[in-house]
Amino acid sequence: MGNLLKVLTCTDLEQEPNFFLDFENAQPTDAEREVWDQVDVVLKDAKGILDELQAYKGAGQEIREAIQNPSDEALQEQAWAAVVPLVGKLKKFYEFSQRLESALHSLLGALTSVTYDPTQHLEREQALAKQFAEILHFTLRFDELKMTNPAIQNDFSYYRRTLSRMRINNVPAEGENEVNNELANRISLFYADATPMLKTLSDGTTKFVSENKNLPIENTTDCLSTMATVCKVMLETPEYRSRFSSEETVSFCLRVMVGVIILYDYVHPVGAFAKSSKIDMKGCIKVLKDQPPNSVDGLLNALRYTTKHLNDESTNKTIKTMLQKD
């Protein structure tokens, strides 16, 4: 009960939003339905993308053999035949990032409109809040898998080098139709980033803010900070946490909290770690550190290495110390 009382009497960050966001069962109301349907079409493909990325093995062996034996035509052909379908997959992942950005724009348009304040939006439009959470969850999972798979960039680099060599020698390249030069440049930039999906989302959110000049930036940043706070409060309040029917929802909630903090840190002019931030960073880090050992290492690392403002001079020293590796 102490935790709940603390939430209700919290003066740290004005009054923290205090309600249960039903990540497990939220269903769209009639008012949410149109946007929900648009986003649902994209989210239906998200699991398949993660499964394909997790199963991505790369063509390292074939590429090595082709490079070590440059005059062996059969090995060159084998490497090319192995790489072309993989590039098709990498193109598919990249194109999905564009669809995800578009879905994010639809959700932000609904969740930041002037109809309600950020807390009312998330409380009344829980199905849209849940979809926003699912996008963040997917994004962090995609980037975790990408970061641990060096084959992705190696395969794509080999594809581009081989393609330019074929062009110089006027050799017709099967598979070139798949990815033209301009698209190859964009895909290359996408995978060059350590966390490509997160960059897509943060760029997309910044773009949303700049395209909607009539909407105060606070409508967007407050939506993000409120989501982070709601996740934190649900995780640290036994009465709420006991309403989750599975432990998976706990890890979902943790991942969403971290994703939304990182997004806020990119979009807000001074970021998530500044004194004026509307996110209780100490509270969020404490919630992460209260989880079973080793279960949140990836999320703590995401805060350490993929945020924008952590190492700013204005960041509270306690926060920096809390995020230091033990």
Side-chain angles (χ1 to χ4, degrees):
M1 192 64 198
N3 265 334
L4 191 59
L5 235 99
K6 189 190 86 200
V7 169
L8 295 172
T9 58
C10 173
T11 51
D12 279 1
L13 292 150
E14 303 157 12
Q15 175 70 50
E16 284 194 309
N18 173 32
F19 63 88
F20 185 76
L21 211 170
D22 194 349
F23 283 142
E24 292 176 335
N25 307 303
Q27 293 300 317
T29 59
D30 289 346
E32 294 169 274
R33 174 66 65 181
E34 189 183 341
V35 171
W36 190 91
D37 283 343
Q38 286 170 21
V39 177
D40 187 54
V41 171
V42 179
L43 283 172
K44 275 195 169 91
D45 293 334
K47 188 183 181 309
I49 294 281
L50 289 178
D51 289 346
E52 279 191 60
L53 179 57
Q54 194 152 15
Y56 189 98
K57 291 288 179 279
Q61 181 69 30
E62 291 90 339
I63 289 170
R64 264 192 307 280
E65 287 178 2
I67 289 170
Q68 283 162 7
N69 304 280
S71 53
D72 187 326
E73 271 312 308
L75 288 176
Q76 308 309 309
E77 281 172 24
Q78 263 173 18
W80 182 249
V83 161
V84 168
L86 292 172
V87 166
K89 282 189 178 178
L90 296 180
K91 177 192 173 197
K92 180 180 170 183
F93 301 160
Y94 167 74
E95 286 171 342
F96 185 76
S97 78
Q98 305 305 291
R99 292 174 62 206
L100 202 68
E101 185 184 343
S102 170
L104 177 75
H105 272 227
S106 301
L107 283 174
L108 286 174
L111 292 170
T112 62
S113 69
V114 291
T115 337
Y116 307 122
D117 68 29
T119 303
Q120 290 170 326
H121 266 300
L122 295 178
E123 198 168 2
R124 295 177 188 200
E125 296 167 339
Q126 295 219 357
L128 297 185
K130 178 176 183 257
Q131 286 185 320
F132 185 35
E134 284 168 348
I135 286 178
L136 289 161
H137 184 268
F138 165 85
T139 296
L140 262 70
R141 186 73 192 113
F142 182 96
D143 287 347
E144 276 171 17
L145 290 169
K146 183 263 172 185
M147 266 195 271
T148 53
N149 195 338
I152 288 173
Q153 276 174 281
N154 295 342
D155 291 350
F156 202 72
S157 297
Y158 178 79
Y159 172 82
R160 296 195 75 191
R161 285 198 311 273
T162 309
L163 200 55
S164 68
R165 201 166 56 241
M166 286 171 155
R167 282 201 192 106
I168 291 163
N169 298 329
N170 287 322
V171 177
E174 174 247 333
E176 187 181 357
N177 309 337
E178 189 76 17
V179 178
N180 64 28
N181 212 22
E182 188 213 341
L183 182 58
N185 286 335
R186 279 187 281 140
I187 294 175
S188 191
L189 274 174
F190 175 74
Y191 289 112
D193 201 278
T195 51
M197 282 292 171
L198 197 60
K199 185 169 189 334
T200 300
L201 283 204
S202 54
D203 287 353
T205 308
T206 307
K207 191 167 137 197
F208 172 82
V209 168
S210 64
E211 282 174 359
N212 291 274
K213 298 267 191 290
N214 57 335
L215 201 67
I217 186 173
E218 292 77 31
N219 285 36
T220 303
T221 54
D222 287 358
C223 169
L224 301 177
S225 60
T226 304
M227 180 79 116
T229 305
V230 168
C231 289
K232 176 184 81 82
V233 170
M234 289 201 298
L235 288 160
E236 68 187 3
T237 309
E239 286 84 346
Y240 285 156
R241 193 164 169 154
S242 64
R243 287 170 68 181
F244 295 152
S245 66
S246 96
E247 272 305 301
E248 271 180 29
T249 310
V250 174
S251 61
F252 177 87
C253 211
L254 287 162
R255 199 181 288 265
V256 170
M257 180 181 78
V258 169
V260 86
I261 287 169
I262 297 169
L263 209 49
Y264 181 97
D265 195 48
Y266 270 88
V267 177
H268 194 280
V270 295
F273 301 95
K275 208 168 185 173
S276 58
S277 163
K278 289 194 178 175
I279 297 177
D280 170 15
M281 282 308 304
K282 290 178 198 165
C284 291
I285 296 166
K286 184 180 182 304
V287 164
L288 284 167
K289 293 203 154 186
D290 285 346
Q291 305 311 308
N294 307 326
S295 68
V296 290
D297 288 355
L299 295 178
L300 285 165
N301 282 339
L303 288 178
R304 287 179 189 121
Y305 307 123
T306 66
T307 45
K308 188 177 177 183
H309 293 282
L310 174 63
N311 295 317
D312 289 4
E313 277 185 28
S314 57
T315 297
N316 183 306
K317 287 195 171 48
T318 315
I319 292 174
K320 285 185 179 174
T321 306
M322 286 176 87
L323 278 175
Q324 274 170 358
K325 289 220 169 196
D326 300 327

